[in-house]
Every structure is written in structure tokens, then in C-alpha cells.
Amino acid sequence: MAVGVVANAGGGRYNGRITSQVAIACMTAASGAIIFGYDVGVSGGVTSMDPFLEEFFPGVRRKMKGDANLSNYCKFDSQLLTCFTSSLYIAGLISSFLASPVTGKYGRRPSIVIGGICYLLGSGIGGAAFNIYMLILGRLLLGVGLGFTNQSVPLYVSEMAPANYRGAFNVSFQICVSIGYTSATLINYGTSKIRGGWGWRISVAMAGVLAMMLTVGALFLPETPNSLLKISDANHDEARRVLKKIRGTDDVEEEFADLVNASSAAKKIKHPFRNMLKRKYRPQLVMSVLIPFFQQVTGINVIAFYTPILFRTVGAAESASLFAATLAGIVGFTFTVIAGISVDRFGRRPLFLVGGILMLVCQSLVGVLMSAKLTDHGAMPKSYALAILLSTCVYVAGFGLSWGPLGWVVPAEIFPLEIRAAGQSIVVAVNLLLTFVIAQAFLAMLCHLKSGIFFFFAAWVLTMSIFVYLLLPETKGIPIEKMDKIWAEHFFWKRFI
């Protein structure tokens, strides 16, 4: 048996099938991820548009256009510019802890609704912004929406989906992120050509249309049976009714009994965050910190936030740099869909490892190319810039196949009910904290480390691939309320159980 693999978790199988109610509910909830991806893509695009820079960051535009002595690697180095990008994530970090008690006490659906409303307000203020303070206020409100939806949506999808197809349904979250990102890059590409320099406002405000769809759709979502039982014993019959409806069968007693037992255990826990520090939850605590940490130090958000800026650094024009971002988004979406098709057939670990190899090779190759051919002054030869674009696309393909979707899938399915909301809050908080740090630091790191920054991320990709091989057990097909078995049978984690 390979290191870290559980040959037989003994999870069992519940009755039921994929019903239209489950499919519609999960896709409605996961559409919150479209807004997440859209906001990531929009910020990367508009910060490379000259009219946007002229209105809010004139100093950056002057450096980019007029300082012939400034290094190619330092043209966009501005803490104010990175603050615009990263403010979304620090607000999401703080709000994810506010979302945890709401999600745990009142259910998954209210958190999704609150997130949708905040997204709506943030996009409206951002699109109408006439100074930097208003612009960042809009980003902060978007961040609150991000904290609530990223905390609640993965839990909602995991609890609604049948165990045999849970991976595919959870991958829908990352598919929606990719859809949102790609949509943003396409819209940025179109609005950048609008005469008058106000096209960026359309790009920013379009998130409001998606937010309205999410908010209205969430009002009609059913609450998950798991959450209904945890909220109140009075919901016992309602939870059974919902479970029968979403499984498409009346024979749900085995699954329902497991949900009732999990709910009884969860209600005995008064301080879930403190409870996570207990020895028996050590595997889940480690995974809740390291999986989102590793997801961010792949360097993916360097690509997501700054692809247009990165390609302007190597000498591409504004239009070409936006096209490069669009191409990377399409590749990411395609391979995330492939991950959704593959995850419940081949498992989580093989996808993690294959994707890790692709990312390691491509990050190293980009570092080598930039080190060899991008000097402090002058543009890179077009053939080498094209090689960087192709390497970036293969890198994005590897991420879309592995750490992109699985960085959300695995944490959402490993927590027992009594610590599930708290555990997901930690996942979201670590993810957003690292996103904030990388978004805030990348342009300065690019200026000082130059091409070495890509070797920095490549080293982390190697480290996390070793971590998966040694310490992450396979969770494919294990019912979510029986997930404790995988830790008890793992060569390392069983000592804690």
C-alpha cells in the first residue's frame, strides 16, 4: 500500500441518487463562487488599464510610462495598488469568523444570503467610485461577502451531495470560480476598448448582476438536513423530509440515523474552536491549516491577480496582456471541469500529485526563462514571452486539475459535524490570510527577487506534493459522517485517534 493511502475505510454506502433538487440547490449555492472568481479576475484586469491607473493610481502610471531607469520588475510596485487588490481578502478573513456562528447557529442558507447582499452593495459602490477611499470601501464590502459565502457554500454542497458524488459536486465550487474569473477577463478585454476611459466601471459593477442572482436564488434554497438537526430538535421531521426529497427515496433511515448521532454529538460541544485543539481532532486541525496554506503558496494568485501586469512586465501591450489573462482563465476552467469528472473516479490523491508535478515544472521553467531573457530594461523577445504564456497555461491546467478544486473539496468533507462550521472558518481564514499576504507582497517581491520569485513558489509546490503523498489519506466515496475512519486507519494519524 502506498504511503498515506487508506485501502478500506469501511465507509459503507447510503441509498439515494442525484436528484434535480440536489443539482439545482448545489449549483445555486456554488454560484457564489462565480462572484469570487469574477472579483479576482476584475482586479487583475482593471489594474493594468491606463484610464483606471490614471484616475486612482497616477503615480504608478507615471512610473510605467515615463521612468526609463526603472527596472521592468519594479514598474508596478505600489503598496496602494496592492491594497486595492488585497483589501478584499483581509475583509474576507475577518468576516469568515463572524460567519461561523451564523452558519452554525442559524444554518448555511442565511450565511449565503448575507454574503450575496454584501456582494451586491460592494459592486455598486465600486462601480460608482470617484476616489480611492470609495473604491476600497467597495472592495471591503465584497470581502465581507466573500467571507460569508466561502465559509458556508462548501459546507452546504458537501452536506447536500450524495457521498459517491460529493467530490464532483464540491468541484463545482472551483468550476464556478473559474467561470467567474474567465468572464471577468473577457469583460475586461471588451471594456478596455471603450472610448472615454470609463469601461472599467462596467467591469467592476457587473458583479452586482451575479450578486442579485445569488441573493434571490439563496432565498429559495432548502436548508441541509445536517444543519436542520443541529439547529433544533424540533426540526427532526423536517430534516427527514428534506433528506428523502434530495435523495429521491424513502429508504434513508441509515443515513438519517448517522445524521442524528452526529447532531447529538455536535450539540454537546459548546466551544467548537477550543474543541478543535483536542488531540482527537489533530488531523483535521492540521489539514484545515495546511491545505489552504499550500493552496495559496502554489503561487496561483500571482497568476490570478497579476497576469495582465506580469505580461506587461515582459513587454506585452495592454490588449495582449488582457488576452493572456483570458486564455489562462479558459485553460483553468477546462481542467477544473476535467477534475470534476475525474475526482470521484480516480480519487483526490492522484489528482493532487499529477497537478503538483505540472505546477512544479512550469513554475521552474518560467523562472528560468525570465532569469535568462528579461533584464531590468527592454522587452523580452516575443518567442520567449510566448514560451512563458504557454508555461503559465500548463501551470494553470495543473492547478485546475488539483489544488484549485481539491483545496476546497477535501477540507469541506473531513470535519465531523460538531466542529464543521469552526473548521471551515479556519480553512477560509487561512486561505484569505495567505491570499492577502501574497497579494500585498507580490509586486514588492517581484521587484526585489525578480525571477527568483518563481523558484520560491516552485519550492513550495514540491513541499506540498510530498505532504500529500505522506500524510493525506484518500477520502473518495467515504460518507461524510463516517470520515473519522480514514484517520483511524492511517499509519501516522491513527496515533492521535
Side-chain angles (χ1 to χ4, degrees), residues 123-145:
S123 59
I125 292 174
F130 53 82
N131 59 44
I132 187 64
Y133 306 106
M134 193 173 175
L135 188 70
I136 291 179
L137 174 61
R139 291 287 286 180
L140 291 173
L141 285 170
L142 289 172
V144 175

Side-chain angles (χ1 to χ4, degrees), residues 285-326:
L285 178 61
V286 170
M287 296 299 166
S288 69
V289 173
L290 288 186
I291 288 179
F293 173 86
F294 285 143
Q295 187 187 48
Q296 294 311 307
V297 294
T298 58
I300 186 60
N301 281 328
V302 169
I303 305 300
F305 301 151
Y306 299 120
T307 293
I309 288 177
L310 183 62
F311 281 95
R312 295 204 74 174
T313 296
V314 301
E318 177 182 316
S319 182
S321 66
L322 291 171
F323 173 77
T326 302

